């Protein structure tokens, strides 16, 4: 059943699998249904090679459906978006077998003619069985019929090749075969082509980069840009500016965990800024936001300038790079995202609550609420099995797009700037829009408390900051002991020096570099060399030397053979 479900996906026009579906996309021409079995039966190819190639192909087929092997194939990571990304290796092996079969066909051998007829009728039986029993691999009857029509055409062309012996006749057959193959691939491409995102959906990279360069002259230290509405999570890398979001299968898992605890978006291949609050934006040194023409709360953002449809906003509540908190300042355990941020504010000694909790009434699939005071409101998703989206009704708030999608437990949702007395409701849904029960809390941002928190963290900070892609330096004067927090994720490759002596840093939230310091003057220097870099250099050098030695040995051997032959 496993092999049947995989092999049938060699058919034409089979719908490509993506997202949570696990069957591989392995179409590489339906002629493989003829040539791979003929490869196995061709005695002109060494038995060891045939067995080796077929065994490897079967191993990969088994790996498509085995979770443990699939995990290994994907670099110790579960695939996201596209299943069985190792399929190209399988397809390459299949095409290689087809090529070797074609180059070893003997058109004078009657046994090979019989093998061709046997394989064709075996394909007939296989397609009949698939049409009756196959229900899992997403192959439709029309796909089977279309594929079998082309298999029959290839069968006829191969039979004619056995019957016709003239060079001109076989040249005509080759031309017809190439035409049929081009037609086949064209039909498959048209029928299975996935839609693509038009360029107009992306931010203009030149404008984004220009914004970054223009503001660099006005700012000191490391700061980041983010977006109100995004298409990707790797726009910062694409457009060459510092961002708080990242899409990568090799992301720092500690940063992903920090984001999730703070209520922002993350999964196994990305962490994103959505779900931020003014406080978390300040902690990450996000200073500017890029958006389209829209109205954003003036209490949080100040309009800077506009280029075409793209607008630049400066965040009002910002922290300098290298801010100082109390010694041991860190995230508390087992708190929801906004309650956790309240605890962080409390640790700074400020009196009051950063996020004021509002009363809500439980509904069938969420909560209902009435806005008690004018202000900026957020919600946090406490629990909700399968809830991936939260929709809001009864208000005119900014709460659309990715801001309220791709949710998980503890996600923060921006509800907007809402007037007192406004009634609203929040309801949960899964990724496909089906209603799901969501348990949520609603909070109002205390803007006065936010100003106090920002002031407390800004009182002492790193100065004279210089940096490039692998170095950070600065000076610090401390009147009292404290924890210096840098919005730089800790990696094994970082080396940290204080006043010329190497020190081992602590971490804030298990992710960001932090240093607990006594009063005094400090010169900070940091250097980054990727972990394993010198080991990689050693392996590369050894490999180059080995290849060079083998080349010269082989060359000397060939010269000896040529001299011996000449004598």
């Amino acid at each position: 059943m496993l092999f049947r479900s995989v092999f049938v996906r060699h058919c034409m026009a089979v719908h490509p699998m993506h997202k949570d579906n696990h069957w591989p996309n392995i179409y590489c021409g339906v002629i493989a249904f003829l040539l791979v079995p003929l490869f196995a039966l061709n005695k002109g190819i060494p038995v060891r090679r045939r067995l080796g190639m077929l065994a490897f192909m079967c191993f990969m087929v088994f790996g498509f459906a085995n979770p443990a092997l699939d995990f290994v194939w994907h670099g110790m990571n579960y695939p996201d978006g596209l299943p069985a990304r190792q399929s190209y290796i399988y397809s390459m092996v299949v095409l290689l077998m087809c090529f070797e079969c074609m180059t070893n066909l003997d058109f004078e051998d009657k046994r090979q003619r019989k093998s061709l007829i046997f394989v064709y009728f075996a394909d007939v039986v296989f397609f009949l069985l698939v049409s009756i029993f196959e229900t899992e691999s997403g192959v439709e009857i029309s796909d089977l019929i279309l594929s079998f029509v082309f298999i029959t055409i290839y069968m006829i062309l191969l039979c004619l090749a056995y019957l016709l012996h003239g060079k001109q006749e076989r040249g005509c057959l080759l031309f017809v075969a190439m035409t049929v193959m081009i037609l086949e691939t064209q039909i498959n491409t048209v029928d299975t082509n996935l839609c693509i995102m038009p360029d107009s959906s992306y931010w203009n990279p030149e404008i984004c980069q220009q914004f970054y360069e223009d503001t660099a002259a006005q700012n000191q230290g490391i700061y980041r840009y983010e977006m109100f509405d995004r298409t990707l999570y790797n726009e910062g890398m694409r457009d060459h500016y510092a961002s708080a979001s990242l899409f990568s299968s090799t992301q720092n898992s500690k940063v992903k965990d920090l984001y999730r605890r703070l209520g922002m978006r993350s999964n196994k291949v990305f962490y994103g800024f959505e779900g931020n609050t003014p406080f978390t934006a300040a902690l990450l040194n996000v200073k500017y936001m890029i958006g389209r023409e829209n109205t954003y709360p003036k209490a949080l953002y100040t309009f800077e300038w506009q280029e075409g449809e793209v607008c630049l906003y400066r965040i009002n509540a910002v922290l300098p790079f290298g801010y100082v908190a109390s010694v041991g300042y860190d995230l508390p355990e087992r708190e929801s995202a906004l309650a956790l941020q309240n605890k962080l504010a409390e640790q700074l000694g400020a009196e009051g609550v950063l996020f004021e909790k509002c009363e809500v009434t439980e509904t069938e699939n969420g909560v209902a609420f009435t806005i008690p005071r004018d202000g900026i409101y957020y919600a946090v998703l406490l629990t909700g099995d399968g809830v991936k989206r939260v929709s809001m009704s009864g208000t005119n708030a900014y709460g659309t797009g990715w801001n309220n999608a791709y949710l998980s437990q503890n996600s923060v949702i921006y509800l907007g700037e809402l007037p007192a007395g406004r009634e609203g409701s929040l309801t949960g849904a899964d990724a496909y829009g089906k209603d799901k029960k969501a348990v949520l809390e609603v909070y109002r941002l205390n803007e006065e408390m936010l100003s106090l928190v920002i002031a407390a963290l800004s009182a002492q900070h790193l100065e004279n900051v210089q940096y490039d892609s692998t170095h950070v330096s600065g000076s610090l004067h401390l009147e009292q002991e404290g924890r210096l927090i840098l919005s730089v994720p800790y990696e094994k490759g970082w080396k940290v020096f204080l006043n010329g002596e190497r020190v081992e840093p602590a971490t804030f939230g298990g992710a960001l570099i932090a240093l607990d310091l006594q009063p005094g003057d400090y010169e900070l220097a940091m250097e980054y060399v990727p972990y394993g870099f010198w080991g990689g250099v050693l392996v590369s050098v050894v490999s180059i030397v080995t290849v060079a030695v083998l080349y010269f040995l082989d060359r000397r051997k060939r010269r000896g053979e040529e001299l011996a032959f000449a004598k």
Side-chain angles (χ1 to χ4, degrees):
M1 179 178 177
L2 165 64
F3 285 86
R4 183 188 69 212
S5 298
V6 173
F7 289 151
V8 76
R9 292 195 59 79
H10 279 285
C11 289
M12 290 176 61
V14 174
H15 182 70
M17 291 289 186
H18 60 99
K19 296 298 182 185
D20 297 328
N21 300 306
H22 69 281
W23 293 112
N25 301 310
I26 53 175
Y27 167 78
C28 51
V30 296
I31 196 172
F33 282 106
L34 293 173
L35 297 185
V36 171
L38 287 175
F39 170 85
L41 298 172
N42 195 320
K43 294 185 178 180
I45 303 171
V47 174
R48 186 169 64 177
R49 179 155 184 82
R50 284 183 283 160
L51 291 177
M53 298 280 280
L54 291 168
F56 183 72
M57 186 183 76
C58 293
F59 171 74
M60 293 205 67
V61 169
F62 180 70
F64 290 140
N66 185 284
L69 284 175
D70 206 37
F71 183 76
V72 174
W73 274 114
H74 289 84
M76 303 302 175
N77 190 16
Y78 286 109
D80 182 76
L82 291 173
R85 298 188 188 191
Q86 73 276 24
S87 297
Y88 75 96
I89 302 175
Y90 173 87
S91 298
M92 182 178 68
V93 171
V94 170
L95 291 174
L96 182 59
M97 286 192 288
C98 292
F99 172 78
E100 292 197 14
C101 177
M102 285 298 298
T103 55
N104 284 278
L105 281 180
D106 183 358
F107 293 105
E108 306 299 329
D109 190 340
K110 294 183 179 180
R111 289 179 300 179
Q112 288 193 7
R113 299 180 195 179
K114 292 179 180 178
S115 297
L116 175 61
I117 296 171
F118 170 78
V119 168
Y120 177 75
F121 283 103
D123 285 341
V124 171
V125 173
F126 174 77
F127 274 73
L128 286 173
L129 291 174
V130 167
S131 64
I132 297 171
F133 298 107
E134 184 56 41
T135 58
E136 296 184 7
S137 59
V139 180
E140 299 178 0
I141 294 295
S142 58
D143 304 333
L144 297 175
I145 295 173
L146 183 61
S147 299
F148 195 74
V149 168
F150 274 88
I151 290 172
T152 302
I153 294 172
Y154 291 129
M155 166 66 179
I156 293 170
L157 291 173
L158 285 171
C159 288
L160 289 174
Y162 279 111
L163 296 174
L164 301 176
H165 302 288
K167 182 178 287 188
Q168 188 174 357
E169 289 88 344
R170 287 187 175 176
C172 292
L173 285 176
L174 179 61
F175 175 78
V176 172
M178 291 298 296
T179 304
V180 172
M181 284 187 178
I182 292 171
L183 178 62
E184 176 197 341
T185 53
Q186 184 63 31
I187 293 172
N188 184 77
T189 301
V190 171
D191 198 62
T192 63
N193 189 32
L194 293 173
C195 63
I196 60 172
M197 191 74 72
D199 289 343
S200 59
S201 300
Y202 297 99
W203 296 98
N204 187 317
E206 295 179 357
I207 294 177
C208 295
Q209 190 173 1
Q210 188 62 48
F211 281 166
Y212 188 68
E213 292 173 355
D214 291 345
T215 56
Q218 309 170 18
N219 296 275
Q220 184 192 42
I222 297 174
Y223 62 96
R224 295 181 171 89
Y225 271 70
E226 268 301 332
M227 298 189 170
F228 287 112
D229 298 294
R230 68 178 344 115
T231 305
L232 306 169
Y233 276 113
N234 57 353
E235 283 149 326
M237 292 184 289
R238 188 196 67 169
D239 300 337
H240 308 291
Y241 63 83
S243 169
S245 302
L246 178 69
F247 183 96
S248 173
S249 297
T250 58
Q251 62 171 307
N252 188 324
S253 62
K254 300 296 184 182
V255 178
K256 177 194 72 174
D257 295 339
L258 171 65
Y259 273 43
R260 182 157 292 186
R261 292 184 65 189
L262 291 174
M264 294 187 285
R265 309 295 182 260
S266 68
N267 73 3
K268 53 186 173 290
V269 294
F270 77 83
Y271 52 80
F273 192 62
E274 280 68 34
N276 70 89
T277 67
F279 184 41
T280 54
L283 291 176
L284 296 172
N285 288 127
V286 177
K287 197 168 187 176
Y288 292 95
M289 298 291 292
I290 298 173
R292 303 190 191 278
E293 296 181 64
N294 209 324
T295 302
Y296 303 106
K298 294 182 179 180
L300 300 182
Y301 311 104
T302 299
F303 175 79
E304 289 283 301
W305 65 74
Q306 181 174 351
E307 184 74 29
E309 295 184 353
V310 186
C311 303
L312 180 68
Y313 294 83
R314 175 172 49 83
I315 299 178
N316 297 333
V318 295
L319 287 171
F321 176 74
Y323 47 88
V324 178
S326 55
V327 172
Y329 185 71
D330 208 347
L331 273 61
E333 297 292 334
R334 297 181 181 178
E335 296 281 357
S336 65
L338 296 181
L340 179 148
Q341 294 178 45
N342 280 338
K343 291 283 188 180
L344 286 175
E346 184 182 323
Q347 289 180 37
L348 296 171
E351 296 183 2
V353 179
L354 180 59
F355 291 96
E356 302 167 347
K357 191 174 181 180
C358 304
E359 292 185 5
V360 298
T361 304
E362 185 176 339
T363 62
E364 182 180 0
N365 292 310
V367 296
F369 57 89
T370 301
I371 302 300
R373 297 169 56 190
D374 292 354
I376 298 166
Y377 284 81
Y378 296 85
V380 59
L381 177 64
L382 298 181
T383 59
D385 184 28
V387 174
K388 295 297 180 184
R389 298 178 182 273
V390 169
S391 57
M392 180 167 60
S393 61
T395 65
N396 295 318
Y398 169 80
T400 59
W402 284 28
N403 176 67
N404 65 345
Y406 300 95
L407 303 178
S408 59
Q409 184 177 347
N410 202 43
S411 290
V412 171
I413 305 161
Y414 173 61
L415 302 183
E417 190 173 19
L418 305 176
R422 180 69 60 86
E423 295 182 350
S425 63
L426 299 170
T427 55
D430 62 15
Y432 303 100
K434 185 179 180 180
D435 289 343
K436 289 282 186 179
K437 174 68 175 178
V439 179
L440 300 118
E441 291 178 342
V442 176
Y443 291 82
R444 175 185 177 273
L445 173 66
N446 185 332
E447 296 173 37
E448 294 180 3
M449 184 66 176
L450 176 64
S451 299
L452 293 175
V453 169
I454 296 299
L457 287 172
S458 302
Q460 302 181 100
H461 60 86
L462 201 63
E463 298 179 339
N464 304 318
V465 177
Q466 302 291 326
Y467 67 95
D468 58 31
S469 58
T470 57
H471 297 83
V472 178
S473 64
S475 56
L476 178 66
H477 174 73
L478 283 183
E479 295 288 346
Q480 56 187 13
E481 66 176 8
R483 166 168 278 195
L484 174 66
I485 300 174
L486 307 173
S487 60
V488 176
Y490 177 73
E491 302 273 359
K492 285 184 179 181
W494 277 113
K495 295 179 181 178
V496 182
F497 299 88
L498 281 176
N499 296 333
E501 295 184 9
R502 186 173 177 179
V503 297
E504 191 65 29
T507 57
F508 171 73
L512 305 183
I513 294 175
L515 296 162
D516 290 319
L517 304 172
Q518 296 299 314
D521 294 314
Y522 297 93
E523 290 295 327
L524 172 72
M526 295 169 52
E527 176 186 354
Y528 181 74
V529 177
Y531 180 71
F533 174 79
W534 294 112
V537 170
L538 179 62
V539 170
S540 298
V541 170
V542 171
S543 299
I544 292 171
V545 171
T546 302
V547 170
V549 170
L550 291 173
Y551 170 76
F552 285 111
L553 289 175
D554 181 65
R555 188 175 179 183
R556 189 170 68 175
K557 180 182 177 181
R558 288 187 180 183
R559 281 184 178 179
E561 290 176 350
E562 289 173 0
L563 289 173
F565 180 76
K567 290 180 180 179

